[in-house]
Structures are given as structure tokens and as C-alpha cells.
Amino acid sequence: MMRTRLLPLFAAVALLAGCSSLPTWVPFTGPEKPKPAELKPNPNLIGVRQAWTARIGKVDFPLVVAVNGSTAMVASSDGTVIALEADSGRELWRASAGAPLAAGVGSDGTLAAVVTRNNDLVVLSAGKELWRQKLNALSYTPPLVAGARVFVLGGDRTISAYDGATGRRLWTQQRQGEPLVLRQPGVLLAVRDTLVVGQGGRLSGLNPLNGTARWDAPIATARGINDVERLVDLVGGVSRVDDSVCVRAFQAAVGCVDTTVGRTVWTQRAGGTQGIGGDAAGLFGTESAGTVVGWRRDNGQRTWTNDTLLHRGVGAPLALGRSVVVGDSFGFVHLLSREDGTLLNRLATDGSAIATAPAAAGNTLVVVTRNGGVYGFAPQ
């Protein structure tokens, strides 16, 4: 899965040897990498079939699959963006952003938006470039397209709004935070008439017309003696059910906020780095070593843990029916029971890492791999 990276972060290690009985230098290889857990036999308790497959270029940026009804939009690192009919895998359109991508895809079903590594916000319509605007900072979060506007969360924590038809910048708001930022998607979504954004360890509600603050709800507080320990940025994805938005703070906590009043309902300590999934009853997430965890949505009480996927590079989950769906860095997709976390089924792809959280489009489970495989799985 996508490895978490920090900007800027530099490390140096020096090794000194002073014992005369040893060579004058000793190669340092570091601690042995933990061995991935061996997979248990597949019980195949629910019927799932591979319905179709498609190909895009390699994916080495923080891709998010944009879903609108039965249409799924995906992109590759080289700037290619495609829209697929999720039921059949049929390609609806294909376009290019003209440069390698840093973030995407965001879409309202009509407009699709991505950010290039050249700091260009590029907006497409029906496979054609509609407009582009130069950003002041790189972004790793897919733009949000909503209400005839395009919203961007910059890597410097700046929030900007653009007119969806013309690309004219409408407003910009910046909030100071810790000096380090995560090179992975943050939190940016619309809840009714409020723009909800992650800023540091807080979930904030903004007026989408002018960017003014409506409320601010804490999820985690920066602690520690250095910048890395103090990093608690909220990470995507999130779980939204009506006015309840639940999120993860990087290596610190998970929590839920009532967005009608901007009140933090609960928080629980949690050590993961990937986003969470959920439904009306439960939340699901992956801790740093690969433990998959379930929590009650109403109060944050832990309901189950699954340790069978340790050190397999398990990513952010998707709550789908009776399953919690997670992908790993070996190209497998695991369907766990949402009730107790036990394995229900396992699906294979092309053997490369699953690039992003699986997505549900219509009746199809859409999975994208690092090597550019796009897979549609359907219930039997």
C-alpha cells in the first residue's frame, strides 16, 4: 500500500567501531524486516467473481477512486485519467492532465479534477480539458468538486475555492500548523452546506461561499518533543453517515464529529496511518503493523481485532455490506466479516500492491493496483 512519507524529513545514521578485534568498518543493514503473516486457507464463504479488468499506467501517487453512481474514475501517475462504467468495465472517456499527477481524482460526475506535480489544478469535462490553474503549493488530496466549485487542500494547509466553469479563484484561507506535512491524502468533503476539512489534528467546518470558519472540532492534540512526534494531521479516507463524520488522526486517534454543531462525539487512541471506513453501526481501520480493528460508531468502543494480516502492508478499508474489504501489498483483497473480523473470502489481482482503498460503484467492487490493473468484482 501507499507508504506514508513526510515532507521535509531527512535522516542520517553513523556507525562507529572502536574494538581492535573487529574490522575498521561494519556494514549496517538495520533491523530485519518483519516477516509477513502467512495466509490462511480461503474459506470462500461469500460468492464474488471477477467481472472485468482494465489497464492504466503505473500508480505511484496517492490515488483515490472517484465514484458517482455507477461510474468510477481512476488515474495513473503519467497523468492519464479515465472514466469507467463500473458494471461492465467499459471505458467512457480517457484524457490526459499533461503531466505526472500528485493528487486525484475528484469528481461530481460532470467535472473531474486532478493536481499535477507541476502544481497545476486541471479540470476535465467529458474527457476534455476545461481549464487549469497554477497552485501556490503542491497538493496530495484529491480536489473536491461540489456546488459548481472546485476546492483544493494544499500541502501547506491552504484551502482554496475555484469557480467550476471558469477556474477563477474565489477565495483562499490558510491556517498555520506544524512544519511537517504528510505526503498522503487529507480530509476534504462536503456535508450539506458546509465544507469540512482536516487542518492539523482538527476537523473544521467552513462556509463554502467565502471560507469563513463555522466550527472547529479537535480529534488529536500535537504532543512530543520533535516535529515527527507532533504530527497528528487528519488523513483520508473518512466515514460519513448523514451528519456524522469519523476520521483518523495520523498515529494518534480515531474519532467522530457531529457536523450539525461541530461537536466531537468521541475519540479513541489508535496508532494507524491510513484512513478509515464505516457504516451506520461500525467503523473499521488498520493499525500500523497490519491489525484490522472494528469500533462502534456511536461510542468508539472496540468490537473486534484481526491479527492475521500482520506486516502485509494492509491499507484503508471499505465497509461493503456484510464485509470489510482491505487490500495488501501482495495484490490480495481480503473480505472480512464486519461482525467479528473473520475472513470471508480472498481475491487475487496481478500480484502488485493494491494502490488505494477499494471502492464501491453501483454493485461492483473496484480495485486498483500499483502496476495499473483495474479490477471489477461482482457478487455471484
Side-chain angles (χ1 to χ4, degrees), residues 2 61-67 73-75 81 101-108 111-116 120-123 135 138-146 149-155 158-160 162 182-190 195-198 234-238 355-357:
M2 171 61 67
F61 76 103
L63 170 68
V64 174
V65 179
V67 173
M73 296 183 189
V74 298
V81 183
L101 296 185
V105 179
S107 177
D108 64 353
L111 302 180
V114 295
V115 178
T116 74
D120 286 331
L121 168 63
V122 182
V123 173
L135 303 176
L138 199 57
S139 174
Y140 304 103
T141 303
L144 171 67
V145 185
R149 292 173 171 83
V150 180
F151 301 94
V152 177
L153 172 60
T158 297
I159 311 296
S160 301
Y162 298 84
L182 292 170
R183 196 175 180 180
Q184 67 184 78
V187 174
L188 184 63
L189 71 157
L195 179 65
V196 178
V197 58
L234 304 187
V235 298
V238 307
T356 186

Side-chain angles (χ1 to χ4, degrees), residues 94-331:
R94 176 181 293 253
S96 174
L101 296 185
V105 179
S107 177
D108 64 353
T110 301
L111 302 180
V114 295
V115 178
T116 74
R117 295 179 189 176
N118 295 334
N119 288 21
D120 286 331
L121 168 63
V122 182
V123 173
L124 309 166
S125 178
K128 304 294 184 181
E129 181 176 321
L130 185 61
W131 53 263
R132 68 173 57 211
Q133 282 282 6
K134 182 68 70 175
L135 303 176
N136 293 327
L138 199 57
S139 174
Y140 304 103
T141 303
L144 171 67
V145 185
R149 292 173 171 83
V150 180
F151 301 94
V152 177
L153 172 60
D156 60 355
R157 298 179 176 87
T158 297
I159 311 296
S160 301
Y162 298 84
D163 182 273
T166 66
R168 180 173 63 90
R169 190 167 67 179
L170 303 174
W171 54 261
T172 298
Q173 295 284 355
Q174 185 167 12
R175 177 171 178 169
Q176 297 299 319
E178 300 301 322
L180 294 184
V181 296
L182 292 170
R183 196 175 180 180
Q184 67 184 78
V187 174
L188 184 63
L189 71 157
V191 180
R192 303 189 191 277
D193 65 344
T194 298
L195 179 65
V196 178
V197 58
Q199 296 183 303
R202 309 178 75 85
L203 197 65
S204 301
L206 307 180
N207 183 337
L209 300 181
N210 55 25
T212 57
R214 288 177 171 170
W215 49 260
D216 201 44
I219 300 296
T221 302
R223 303 178 186 275
I225 60 175
N226 60 55
D227 292 338
V228 175
E229 292 175 345
R230 294 178 58 81
L231 188 60
V232 293
D233 279 3
L234 304 187
V235 298
V238 307
S239 172
R240 179 200 169 188
V241 175
D242 297 326
D243 295 312
S244 169
V245 175
C246 302
V247 297
R248 180 190 292 278
F250 179 77
Q251 291 186 336
V254 295
C256 290
V257 172
D258 179 351
T259 61
T260 58
V261 293
R263 177 178 64 90
T264 303
V265 178
W266 60 263
T267 63
Q268 292 284 357
R269 290 184 62 84
T273 63
Q274 305 287 334
I276 60 175
D279 54 26
L283 294 176
F284 312 99
T286 303
E287 302 302 271
S288 297
T291 299
V292 186
V293 181
W295 298 273
R296 284 182 52 169
R297 190 182 193 97
D298 57 354
N299 61 17
Q301 178 182 344
R302 185 172 290 199
T303 55
W304 54 261
T305 60
N306 180 321
D307 293 326
T308 64
L309 301 175
L310 293 179
H311 311 302
R312 295 191 60 85
V314 179
L318 167 71
L320 183 63
R322 56 181 289 206
S323 302
V324 177
V325 186
V326 294
D328 69 21
S329 22
F330 299 89

